[in-house]
């Protein structure tokens, strides 16, 4: 999901999909924009009352690069 477009409604829908035993996890880019989006996602989740786990990645690395790195390792 694009962090800048994450709404309380999105979080509530995702929470219903994963159910009470599941977990919502957000992993956004490690650059400044990704860090800003992460803070916004946390605030949105808190306002919506939806538990959200955050995975942080190294600054300057984006999610796609990290996944490609992990797949090729």
């Amino acid at each position: 999901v694009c962090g800048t477009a994450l709404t309380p409604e999105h979080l509530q829908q995702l929470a219903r999909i994963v159910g009470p035993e599941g977990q919502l996890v957000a992993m956004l880019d490690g650059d400044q924009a990704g860090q800003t989006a992460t803070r916004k996602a946390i605030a949105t989740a808190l306002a919506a009352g939806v538990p959200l786990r955050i995975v942080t990645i190294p600054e300057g690395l984006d999610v796609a690069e990290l996944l490609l790195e992990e797949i090729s390792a």
Side-chain angles (χ1 to χ4, degrees), residues 1-72:
V1 68
C2 178
T4 58
L6 190 63
T7 67
E9 292 79 18
H10 291 139
L11 287 168
Q12 290 166 347
Q13 289 174 358
L14 290 168
R16 280 194 294 275
I17 291 168
V18 300
E21 300 300 316
Q23 296 181 27
L24 292 179
V25 180
M27 181 169 57
L28 300 162
D29 293 351
D31 61 9
Q32 187 62 43
Q35 292 173 18
T36 299
T38 298
R39 286 191 292 277
K40 182 179 177 190
I42 292 168
T44 302
L46 288 171
V50 175
L52 179 66
R53 291 183 174 264
I54 301 294
V55 175
T56 57
I57 62 174
E59 186 173 346
L61 195 63
D62 69 29
V63 174
E65 291 171 338
L66 179 67
L67 293 176
L68 288 174
E69 188 177 292
E70 289 298 315
I71 289 171
S72 63

